[in-house]
C-alpha cells in the first residue's frame, strides 16, 4: 500500500494537473511537476473536484451574503470554478463540439480539435453549457437559498470521476495530446474514483433532503457517458483529452439539471 508521502504527492500532482491553484512544493515530493499517473492516483480526481467545487461555493456564498441576486451569485460561483481550473474542461467541450460536428472525416475532426480557435459549434456549445449551469444553480438558490452551495463539491467531484468512463470503453484517438501522454486509470481505479465522488455527492444530497434527486442525478450522469463514448467512437474512433473534458461538462450539467428538477418537485426548504 502506498505511503502517506506517495498519496500526498499524488494528490498534489492531480491538483496541479486539474487546477491553477498556486500550490507549494514540499520536500517529500520526488517529482513535483510530473504528470500524474492516474492508474494509481485516480482517487485524487474527485477530491480535487471537491476542492474546486468548495471554492465555487465560497464565492457564491459571499455573493449571496453581500445581497446579490441568486442569478449573480450562481454566475460568480461558476466563474470561480472556471478561473481555478483555467477553463480546462470548458475548452475540451468547445473543441469537442467543433471537431465532432464540424468535420467531414476522422482526420479533419481531429485536426479541428487541435486548433486553438473556437468555431461556431464550439461557441454555441460553450454558451449553452454555461447558461444551463448558471440557470440550474440559480434555480437551486431560489428553492434552497445559500444551502444549495453545499451541492457544488459533490457535483464537481462526481462529474470529474464519471467523465473518465470513455477511457474504459475506447482506445485513444491518436498518439499525441494530453490524454495520450498521461497514464489513464483502469476499471478498479475508475470505480474507486467514482465511488469517492458518489459518496461526496450523496452526503450533500442527504443533508439537503434530496436522496432521490441525488440518486437520479448520479444515475443520469453515469448513463450519458456510454452515449458520448459511442459518439466519439463513430466520429473520431476513440477518446482524447477534449472528449474527456466535454464529458465532464455534460455530466455536471446533468447533475445540476436533475437536482434542480428534484428540488422543484420537493418544493422550497
Amino acid at each position: 500500500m502506498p505511503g502517506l508521502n506517495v498519496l500526498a504527492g499524488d494528490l498534489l500532482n492531480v491538483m496541479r494537473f486539474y487546477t491553477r491553484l498556486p500550490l507549494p512544493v514540499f520536500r517529500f515530493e520526488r517529482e513535483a511537476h510530473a504528470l500524474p499517473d492516474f492508474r494509481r492516483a485516480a482517487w485524487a480526481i474527485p477530491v480535487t473536484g471537491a476542492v474546486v467545487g468548495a471554492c465555487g461555493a465560497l464565492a457564491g456564498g459571499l455573493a449571496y451574503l453581500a445581497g446579490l441576486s441568486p442569478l449573480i451569485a450562481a454566475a460568480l460561483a461558476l466563474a470561480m470554478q472556471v478561473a481555478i481550473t483555467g477553463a480546462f474542461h470548458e475548452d475540451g467541450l468547445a473543441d469537442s463540439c467543433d471537431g465532432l460536428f464540424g468535420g467531414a472525416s476522422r482526420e479533419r475532426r481531429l485536426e479541428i480539435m487541435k486548433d486553438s480557435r473556437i468555431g461556431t459549434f464550439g461557441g454555441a456549445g460553450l454558451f449553452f453549457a454555461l447558461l444551463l449551469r448558471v440557470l440550474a444553480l440559480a434555480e437551486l438558490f431560489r428553492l434552497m437559498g445559500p444551502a444549495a452551495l453545499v451541492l457544488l463539491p459533490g457535483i464537481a467531484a462526481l462529474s470529474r470521476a464519471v467523465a473518465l468512463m470513455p477511457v474504459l470503453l475506447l482506445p485513444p484517438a491518436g498518439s499525441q495530446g494530453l490524454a495520450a501522454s498521461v497514464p489513464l486509470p483502469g476499471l478498479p481505479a475508475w470505480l474507486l474514483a467514482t465511488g469517492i465522488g458518489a459518496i461526496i455527492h450523496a452526503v450533500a444530497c442527504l443533508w439537503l433532503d434530496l436522496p432521490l434527486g441525488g440518486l437520479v442525478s448520479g444515475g443520469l450522469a453515469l448513463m450519458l457517458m456510454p452515449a458520448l463514448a459511442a459518439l466519439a467512437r463513430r466520429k473520431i474512433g476513440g477518446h482524447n483529452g477534449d472528449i474527456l473534458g466535454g464529458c465532464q461538462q455534460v455530466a455536471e450539467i446533468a447533475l445540476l439539471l436533475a437536482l434542480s428538477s428534484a428540488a422543484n418537485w420537493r418544493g422550497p426548504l
Side-chain angles (χ1 to χ4, degrees):
M1 183 175 177
L4 289 178
N5 284 351
V6 174
L7 293 174
D10 284 342
L11 176 59
L12 289 166
N13 277 342
V14 171
M15 291 187 72
R16 292 188 185 103
F17 181 84
Y18 274 106
T19 76
R20 301 285 181 88
L21 293 172
L23 299 173
V25 175
F26 295 92
R27 290 184 179 181
F28 63 79
E29 294 186 80
R30 295 180 180 178
E31 296 179 276
H33 297 289
L35 290 174
D37 184 343
F38 288 115
R39 295 169 300 185
R40 186 184 68 228
W43 64 270
I45 293 172
V47 177
T48 299
V51 172
V52 172
C55 292
L58 176 62
L62 291 174
Y64 192 89
L65 291 175
L68 295 174
S69 71
L71 184 61
I72 296 174
L76 289 173
L78 293 175
M80 175 63 79
Q81 294 182 77
V82 173
I84 286 174
T85 60
F88 188 61
H89 297 98
E90 288 79 7
D91 179 68
L93 174 70
D95 286 344
S96 293
C97 290
D98 276 334
L100 295 179
F101 302 109
S105 66
R106 175 183 181 273
E107 291 73 22
R108 178 56 182 153
R109 290 171 190 134
L110 288 172
E111 183 182 348
I112 290 172
M113 293 170 87
K114 291 176 184 177
D115 194 331
S116 60
R117 293 171 294 182
I118 295 180
T120 303
F121 287 110
L126 189 57
F127 170 78
F128 284 112
L130 291 170
L131 181 66
L132 287 171
R133 290 163 68 192
V134 169
L135 292 180
L137 183 55
E139 180 68 0
L140 287 168
F141 260 123
R142 183 181 70 83
L143 292 165
M144 298 181 176
L149 293 168
V150 172
L151 296 167
L152 287 184
I155 290 171
L158 184 56
S159 63
R160 281 162 176 75
V162 301
L164 290 177
M165 184 188 282
V167 170
L168 308 176
L169 304 175
L170 302 173
S175 58
Q176 297 180 341
L178 202 55
S181 61
V182 175
L184 293 169
L187 180 60
W190 179 80
L191 288 173
L192 175 60
T194 302
I196 293 171
I199 289 171
I200 300 171
H201 179 59
V203 168
C205 291
L206 289 172
W207 189 13
L208 296 177
D209 193 27
L210 285 173
L212 184 59
L215 184 63
V216 171
S217 62
L220 178 61
L222 200 61
M223 288 189 297
L224 286 171
M225 296 304 104
L228 295 175
L231 177 63
R233 182 189 295 276
R234 183 165 64 87
K235 293 285 189 175
I236 61 172
H239 70 79
N240 59 20
D242 289 329
I243 293 296
L244 300 181
C247 285
Q248 187 279 329
Q249 290 286 282
V250 171
E252 183 172 328
I253 291 167
L255 289 163
L256 281 165
L257 291 178
L259 287 169
S260 65
S261 176
N264 260 311
W265 279 100
R266 188 201 60 187
L269 283 176

Short mmCIF file of all heavy atoms in Angstrom, two decimals, residues 169-226:
data_model
loop_
_atom_site.label_atom_id
_atom_site.label_comp_id
_atom_site.label_asym_id
_atom_site.label_seq_id
_atom_site.Cartn_x
_atom_site.Cartn_y
_atom_site.Cartn_z
N LEU A 169 -13.89 2.43 -22.32
CA LEU A 169 -14.69 1.92 -23.43
C LEU A 169 -14.03 2.11 -24.79
O LEU A 169 -14.43 1.44 -25.76
CB LEU A 169 -16.06 2.62 -23.44
CG LEU A 169 -16.88 2.53 -22.15
CD1 LEU A 169 -18.15 3.37 -22.27
CD2 LEU A 169 -17.22 1.09 -21.82
N LEU A 170 -13.06 3.01 -24.88
CA LEU A 170 -12.50 3.39 -26.17
C LEU A 170 -10.98 3.37 -26.14
O LEU A 170 -10.37 3.61 -25.10
CB LEU A 170 -12.94 4.81 -26.55
CG LEU A 170 -14.43 5.11 -26.65
CD1 LEU A 170 -14.64 6.61 -26.87
CD2 LEU A 170 -15.06 4.32 -27.77
N PRO A 171 -10.35 3.14 -27.29
CA PRO A 171 -8.90 3.34 -27.40
C PRO A 171 -8.61 4.83 -27.58
O PRO A 171 -9.51 5.61 -27.89
CB PRO A 171 -8.54 2.56 -28.67
CG PRO A 171 -9.77 2.69 -29.52
CD PRO A 171 -10.94 2.65 -28.56
N PRO A 172 -7.37 5.25 -27.39
CA PRO A 172 -7.02 6.64 -27.70
C PRO A 172 -7.27 6.95 -29.17
O PRO A 172 -7.04 6.10 -30.04
CB PRO A 172 -5.54 6.73 -27.34
CG PRO A 172 -5.30 5.59 -26.39
CD PRO A 172 -6.23 4.50 -26.81
N ALA A 173 -7.72 8.15 -29.44
CA ALA A 173 -7.99 8.53 -30.83
C ALA A 173 -6.72 8.87 -31.59
O ALA A 173 -6.74 8.98 -32.81
CB ALA A 173 -8.95 9.71 -30.86
N GLY A 174 -5.62 9.05 -30.90
CA GLY A 174 -4.36 9.38 -31.55
C GLY A 174 -3.21 9.15 -30.59
O GLY A 174 -3.41 8.84 -29.40
N SER A 175 -2.01 9.30 -31.09
CA SER A 175 -0.81 9.06 -30.27
C SER A 175 -0.27 10.34 -29.66
O SER A 175 0.73 10.31 -28.95
CB SER A 175 0.28 8.41 -31.12
OG SER A 175 0.60 9.23 -32.23
N GLN A 176 -0.92 11.47 -29.94
CA GLN A 176 -0.47 12.75 -29.40
C GLN A 176 -1.56 13.35 -28.53
O GLN A 176 -2.71 12.91 -28.55
CB GLN A 176 -0.12 13.70 -30.55
CG GLN A 176 1.04 13.22 -31.40
CD GLN A 176 1.36 14.18 -32.52
OE1 GLN A 176 0.55 15.01 -32.88
NE2 GLN A 176 2.57 14.08 -33.06
N GLY A 177 -1.20 14.37 -27.78
CA GLY A 177 -2.17 15.03 -26.92
C GLY A 177 -2.00 14.61 -25.47
O GLY A 177 -1.31 13.65 -25.14
N LEU A 178 -2.68 15.35 -24.62
CA LEU A 178 -2.54 15.14 -23.18
C LEU A 178 -3.04 13.78 -22.74
O LEU A 178 -2.41 13.10 -21.92
CB LEU A 178 -3.31 16.25 -22.43
CG LEU A 178 -2.89 16.52 -20.98
CD1 LEU A 178 -1.40 16.83 -20.89
CD2 LEU A 178 -3.70 17.68 -20.41
N ALA A 179 -4.18 13.34 -23.28
CA ALA A 179 -4.74 12.05 -22.87
C ALA A 179 -3.84 10.89 -23.26
O ALA A 179 -3.82 9.85 -22.59
CB ALA A 179 -6.13 11.86 -23.48
N ALA A 180 -3.09 11.06 -24.35
CA ALA A 180 -2.20 10.00 -24.80
C ALA A 180 -0.90 9.97 -24.00
O ALA A 180 -0.22 8.94 -23.95
CB ALA A 180 -1.88 10.17 -26.28
N SER A 181 -0.54 11.07 -23.36
CA SER A 181 0.72 11.15 -22.63
C SER A 181 0.58 10.85 -21.14
O SER A 181 1.59 10.67 -20.45
CB SER A 181 1.34 12.54 -22.81
OG SER A 181 0.49 13.54 -22.28
N VAL A 182 -0.64 10.80 -20.64
CA VAL A 182 -0.88 10.57 -19.22
C VAL A 182 -1.35 9.13 -19.00
O VAL A 182 -2.27 8.68 -19.69
CB VAL A 182 -1.94 11.55 -18.67
CG1 VAL A 182 -2.27 11.24 -17.22
CG2 VAL A 182 -1.46 12.97 -18.81
N PRO A 183 -0.74 8.38 -18.07
CA PRO A 183 -1.24 7.04 -17.77
C PRO A 183 -2.65 7.11 -17.20
O PRO A 183 -2.88 7.73 -16.16
CB PRO A 183 -0.25 6.52 -16.72
CG PRO A 183 0.98 7.36 -16.88
CD PRO A 183 0.48 8.71 -17.31
N LEU A 184 -3.60 6.48 -17.87
CA LEU A 184 -5.01 6.61 -17.50
C LEU A 184 -5.48 5.41 -16.68
O LEU A 184 -4.91 4.33 -16.77
CB LEU A 184 -5.86 6.77 -18.77
CG LEU A 184 -5.61 8.09 -19.52
CD1 LEU A 184 -6.26 8.07 -20.89
CD2 LEU A 184 -6.12 9.27 -18.70
N PRO A 185 -6.55 5.59 -15.90
CA PRO A 185 -6.96 4.53 -14.97
C PRO A 185 -7.61 3.35 -15.66
O PRO A 185 -8.23 3.47 -16.73
CB PRO A 185 -7.97 5.25 -14.06
CG PRO A 185 -8.53 6.33 -14.93
CD PRO A 185 -7.39 6.79 -15.79
N GLY A 186 -7.47 2.17 -15.04
CA GLY A 186 -8.22 1.00 -15.43
C GLY A 186 -9.52 0.95 -14.66
O GLY A 186 -9.86 1.88 -13.91
N LEU A 187 -10.24 -0.15 -14.80
CA LEU A 187 -11.55 -0.27 -14.16
C LEU A 187 -11.50 -0.15 -12.64
O LEU A 187 -12.30 0.60 -12.07
CB LEU A 187 -12.20 -1.60 -14.58
CG LEU A 187 -13.59 -1.87 -13.99
CD1 LEU A 187 -14.58 -0.78 -14.39
CD2 LEU A 187 -14.09 -3.25 -14.43
N PRO A 188 -10.60 -0.84 -11.93
CA PRO A 188 -10.60 -0.71 -10.46
C PRO A 188 -10.35 0.73 -10.00
O PRO A 188 -11.03 1.21 -9.08
CB PRO A 188 -9.47 -1.64 -10.02
CG PRO A 188 -9.33 -2.64 -11.13
CD PRO A 188 -9.63 -1.86 -12.38
N ALA A 189 -9.40 1.41 -10.64
CA ALA A 189 -9.10 2.79 -10.24
C ALA A 189 -10.27 3.71 -10.55
O ALA A 189 -10.59 4.61 -9.76
CB ALA A 189 -7.84 3.27 -10.95
N TRP A 190 -10.93 3.48 -11.70
CA TRP A 190 -12.08 4.32 -12.04
C TRP A 190 -13.24 4.07 -11.08
O TRP A 190 -13.92 5.01 -10.67
CB TRP A 190 -12.54 4.03 -13.47
CG TRP A 190 -13.74 4.83 -13.87
CD1 TRP A 190 -13.77 6.13 -14.27
CD2 TRP A 190 -15.10 4.38 -13.87
NE1 TRP A 190 -15.06 6.52 -14.53
CE2 TRP A 190 -15.90 5.47 -14.29
CE3 TRP A 190 -15.72 3.17 -13.56
CZ2 TRP A 190 -17.29 5.38 -14.41
CZ3 TRP A 190 -17.10 3.08 -13.68
CH2 TRP A 190 -17.87 4.17 -14.10
N LEU A 191 -13.46 2.84 -10.71
CA LEU A 191 -14.53 2.53 -9.76
C LEU A 191 -14.27 3.18 -8.40
O LEU A 191 -15.19 3.70 -7.76
CB LEU A 191 -14.67 1.02 -9.59
CG LEU A 191 -15.29 0.26 -10.77
CD1 LEU A 191 -15.22 -1.25 -10.53
CD2 LEU A 191 -16.74 0.70 -10.99
N LEU A 192 -13.02 3.17 -7.98
CA LEU A 192 -12.67 3.82 -6.71
C LEU A 192 -12.93 5.32 -6.79
O LEU A 192 -13.55 5.91 -5.88
CB LEU A 192 -11.21 3.56 -6.38
CG LEU A 192 -10.66 4.27 -5.12
CD1 LEU A 192 -11.43 3.84 -3.88
CD2 LEU A 192 -9.17 4.00 -4.96
N ALA A 193 -12.50 5.95 -7.88
CA ALA A 193 -12.70 7.39 -8.03
C ALA A 193 -14.19 7.72 -8.09
O ALA A 193 -14.65 8.68 -7.44
CB ALA A 193 -12.00 7.89 -9.30
N THR A 194 -14.94 6.95 -8.85
CA THR A 194 -16.38 7.21 -8.96
C THR A 194 -17.08 6.96 -7.63
O THR A 194 -18.02 7.69 -7.27
CB THR A 194 -16.99 6.32 -10.06
OG1 THR A 194 -16.31 6.58 -11.30
CG2 THR A 194 -18.46 6.59 -10.24
N GLY A 195 -16.63 5.96 -6.90
CA GLY A 195 -17.22 5.70 -5.58
C GLY A 195 -16.98 6.85 -4.62
O GLY A 195 -17.89 7.25 -3.88
N ILE A 196 -15.77 7.40 -4.63
CA ILE A 196 -15.48 8.55 -3.76
C ILE A 196 -16.33 9.75 -4.15
O ILE A 196 -16.92 10.43 -3.31
CB ILE A 196 -13.98 8.90 -3.82
CG1 ILE A 196 -13.15 7.78 -3.19
CG2 ILE A 196 -13.70 10.23 -3.10
CD1 ILE A 196 -11.65 7.94 -3.40
N GLY A 197 -16.41 10.01 -5.47
CA GLY A 197 -17.24 11.12 -5.93
C GLY A 197 -18.70 10.92 -5.57
O GLY A 197 -19.39 11.86 -5.18
N ALA A 198 -19.19 9.68 -5.71
CA ALA A 198 -20.59 9.38 -5.39
C ALA A 198 -20.88 9.59 -3.91
O ALA A 198 -21.95 10.07 -3.53
CB ALA A 198 -20.93 7.96 -5.81
N ILE A 199 -19.93 9.23 -3.05
CA ILE A 199 -20.11 9.41 -1.61
C ILE A 199 -20.20 10.90 -1.25
O ILE A 199 -21.09 11.32 -0.49
CB ILE A 199 -18.97 8.73 -0.83
CG1 ILE A 199 -19.10 7.20 -0.93
CG2 ILE A 199 -18.97 9.17 0.64
CD1 ILE A 199 -17.91 6.45 -0.38
N ILE A 200 -19.30 11.70 -1.81
CA ILE A 200 -19.33 13.15 -1.54
C ILE A 200 -20.65 13.74 -2.02
O ILE A 200 -21.30 14.54 -1.33
CB ILE A 200 -18.15 13.86 -2.22
CG1 ILE A 200 -16.82 13.31 -1.68
CG2 ILE A 200 -18.21 15.37 -1.99
CD1 ILE A 200 -15.59 13.79 -2.45
N HIS A 201 -21.08 13.32 -3.21
CA HIS A 201 -22.35 13.81 -3.78
C HIS A 201 -23.53 13.36 -2.92
O HIS A 201 -24.44 14.15 -2.63
CB HIS A 201 -22.47 13.27 -5.20
CG HIS A 201 -23.73 13.66 -5.90
ND1 HIS A 201 -24.10 14.97 -6.12
CD2 HIS A 201 -24.73 12.90 -6.44
CE1 HIS A 201 -25.25 15.01 -6.77
NE2 HIS A 201 -25.66 13.78 -6.96
N ALA A 202 -23.52 12.11 -2.50
CA ALA A 202 -24.64 11.56 -1.72
C ALA A 202 -24.77 12.24 -0.36
O ALA A 202 -25.89 12.51 0.11
CB ALA A 202 -24.47 10.05 -1.56
N VAL A 203 -23.64 12.51 0.28
CA VAL A 203 -23.68 13.16 1.60
C VAL A 203 -24.35 14.53 1.49
O VAL A 203 -25.20 14.89 2.32
CB VAL A 203 -22.26 13.28 2.18
CG1 VAL A 203 -22.25 14.21 3.40
CG2 VAL A 203 -21.73 11.91 2.57
N ALA A 204 -23.99 15.29 0.47
CA ALA A 204 -24.59 16.62 0.29
C ALA A 204 -26.09 16.51 0.01
O ALA A 204 -26.89 17.27 0.57
CB ALA A 204 -23.89 17.35 -0.85
N CYS A 205 -26.47 15.55 -0.84
CA CYS A 205 -27.90 15.39 -1.17
C CYS A 205 -28.71 14.94 0.03
O CYS A 205 -29.84 15.40 0.24
CB CYS A 205 -28.05 14.39 -2.33
SG CYS A 205 -27.42 15.00 -3.91
N LEU A 206 -28.15 14.05 0.83
CA LEU A 206 -28.86 13.59 2.03
C LEU A 206 -28.99 14.72 3.04
O LEU A 206 -30.03 14.86 3.71
CB LEU A 206 -28.13 12.40 2.65
CG LEU A 206 -28.20 11.09 1.86
CD1 LEU A 206 -27.28 10.05 2.48
CD2 LEU A 206 -29.64 10.56 1.83
N TRP A 207 -27.97 15.53 3.17
CA TRP A 207 -28.01 16.66 4.10
C TRP A 207 -29.12 17.63 3.73
O TRP A 207 -29.78 18.21 4.60
CB TRP A 207 -26.65 17.34 4.11
CG TRP A 207 -26.51 18.38 5.19
CD1 TRP A 207 -27.33 18.57 6.27
CD2 TRP A 207 -25.47 19.36 5.31
NE1 TRP A 207 -26.87 19.61 7.04
CE2 TRP A 207 -25.73 20.10 6.48
CE3 TRP A 207 -24.35 19.66 4.55
CZ2 TRP A 207 -24.91 21.14 6.89
CZ3 TRP A 207 -23.53 20.69 4.97
CH2 TRP A 207 -23.81 21.43 6.12
N LEU A 208 -29.33 17.81 2.43
CA LEU A 208 -30.36 18.74 1.96
C LEU A 208 -31.69 18.05 1.69
O LEU A 208 -32.57 18.63 1.06
CB LEU A 208 -29.88 19.45 0.69
CG LEU A 208 -28.65 20.35 0.86
CD1 LEU A 208 -28.22 20.93 -0.47
CD2 LEU A 208 -28.92 21.46 1.86
N ASP A 209 -31.83 16.82 2.15
CA ASP A 209 -33.08 16.06 1.99
C ASP A 209 -33.45 15.89 0.52
O ASP A 209 -34.60 16.05 0.13
CB ASP A 209 -34.22 16.75 2.75
CG ASP A 209 -35.44 15.85 2.90
OD1 ASP A 209 -35.27 14.62 2.90
OD2 ASP A 209 -36.57 16.38 2.99
N LEU A 210 -32.44 15.54 -0.29
CA LEU A 210 -32.66 15.24 -1.70
C LEU A 210 -32.13 13.85 -2.05
O LEU A 210 -31.34 13.70 -3.00
CB LEU A 210 -31.96 16.29 -2.58
CG LEU A 210 -32.59 17.66 -2.70
CD1 LEU A 210 -31.66 18.60 -3.46
CD2 LEU A 210 -33.95 17.58 -3.39
N PRO A 211 -32.55 12.81 -1.32
CA PRO A 211 -31.98 11.48 -1.60
C PRO A 211 -32.31 10.97 -2.98
O PRO A 211 -31.45 10.44 -3.68
CB PRO A 211 -32.60 10.60 -0.51
CG PRO A 211 -33.85 11.32 -0.10
CD PRO A 211 -33.53 12.78 -0.22
N LEU A 212 -33.56 11.13 -3.40
CA LEU A 212 -33.95 10.67 -4.73
C LEU A 212 -33.27 11.50 -5.81
O LEU A 212 -32.82 10.97 -6.84
CB LEU A 212 -35.47 10.73 -4.89
CG LEU A 212 -36.03 10.19 -6.22
CD1 LEU A 212 -35.63 8.73 -6.40
CD2 LEU A 212 -37.55 10.35 -6.26
N GLY A 213 -33.19 12.82 -5.58
CA GLY A 213 -32.50 13.67 -6.54
C GLY A 213 -31.04 13.29 -6.71
O GLY A 213 -30.50 13.30 -7.82
N GLY A 214 -30.39 12.95 -5.60
CA GLY A 214 -29.00 12.52 -5.67
C GLY A 214 -28.84 11.24 -6.47
O GLY A 214 -27.93 11.11 -7.28
N LEU A 215 -29.76 10.29 -6.24
CA LEU A 215 -29.70 9.02 -6.96
C LEU A 215 -29.97 9.20 -8.44
O LEU A 215 -29.23 8.68 -9.29
CB LEU A 215 -30.72 8.05 -6.35
CG LEU A 215 -30.74 6.62 -6.90
CD1 LEU A 215 -29.40 5.94 -6.64
CD2 LEU A 215 -31.88 5.83 -6.29
N VAL A 216 -31.01 9.95 -8.77
CA VAL A 216 -31.37 10.15 -10.17
C VAL A 216 -30.31 10.95 -10.91
O VAL A 216 -29.93 10.61 -12.04
CB VAL A 216 -32.74 10.85 -10.27
CG1 VAL A 216 -33.03 11.27 -11.71
CG2 VAL A 216 -33.85 9.94 -9.76
N SER A 217 -29.80 12.00 -10.27
CA SER A 217 -28.79 12.84 -10.94
C SER A 217 -27.52 12.05 -11.20
O SER A 217 -26.93 12.13 -12.29
CB SER A 217 -28.51 14.08 -10.10
OG SER A 217 -27.97 13.74 -8.83
N GLY A 218 -27.09 11.28 -10.21
CA GLY A 218 -25.88 10.47 -10.40
C GLY A 218 -26.07 9.42 -11.48
O GLY A 218 -25.19 9.18 -12.31
N GLY A 219 -27.25 8.78 -11.48
CA GLY A 219 -27.53 7.78 -12.50
C GLY A 219 -27.58 8.37 -13.89
O GLY A 219 -27.09 7.78 -14.86
N LEU A 220 -28.16 9.57 -14.01
CA LEU A 220 -28.24 10.23 -15.31
C LEU A 220 -26.86 10.58 -15.83
O LEU A 220 -26.55 10.34 -17.02
CB LEU A 220 -29.09 11.50 -15.19
CG LEU A 220 -29.24 12.35 -16.46
CD1 LEU A 220 -29.92 11.55 -17.56
CD2 LEU A 220 -30.02 13.63 -16.15
N ALA A 221 -26.02 11.15 -14.98
CA ALA A 221 -24.66 11.50 -15.40
C ALA A 221 -23.90 10.26 -15.85
O ALA A 221 -23.18 10.29 -16.86
CB ALA A 221 -23.92 12.18 -14.24
N LEU A 222 -24.08 9.16 -15.13
CA LEU A 222 -23.39 7.92 -15.48
C LEU A 222 -23.89 7.35 -16.80
O LEU A 222 -23.10 6.91 -17.64
CB LEU A 222 -23.60 6.91 -14.35
CG LEU A 222 -22.62 5.74 -14.25
CD1 LEU A 222 -21.21 6.23 -14.03
CD2 LEU A 222 -23.05 4.81 -13.13
N MET A 223 -25.20 7.39 -17.02
CA MET A 223 -25.77 6.80 -18.23
C MET A 223 -25.41 7.58 -19.48
O MET A 223 -25.40 7.02 -20.59
CB MET A 223 -27.28 6.69 -18.09
CG MET A 223 -27.74 5.62 -17.12
SD MET A 223 -29.52 5.36 -17.18
CE MET A 223 -30.13 6.96 -16.64
N LEU A 224 -25.14 8.86 -19.35
CA LEU A 224 -24.80 9.66 -20.52
C LEU A 224 -23.40 9.36 -21.05
O LEU A 224 -23.12 9.59 -22.23
CB LEU A 224 -24.91 11.15 -20.18
CG LEU A 224 -26.32 11.72 -20.06
CD1 LEU A 224 -26.27 13.13 -19.51
CD2 LEU A 224 -27.03 11.69 -21.41
N MET A 225 -22.52 8.83 -20.21
CA MET A 225 -21.14 8.61 -20.63
C MET A 225 -21.00 7.57 -21.74
O MET A 225 -20.26 7.80 -22.71
CB MET A 225 -20.27 8.23 -19.43
CG MET A 225 -20.15 9.34 -18.37
SD MET A 225 -19.53 10.93 -18.99
CE MET A 225 -21.04 11.90 -19.06
N PRO A 226 -21.68 6.41 -21.68
CA PRO A 226 -21.58 5.48 -22.81
C PRO A 226 -22.11 6.05 -24.11
O PRO A 226 -21.58 5.76 -25.19
CB PRO A 226 -22.41 4.28 -22.35
CG PRO A 226 -22.43 4.35 -20.87
CD PRO A 226 -22.43 5.81 -20.56
#
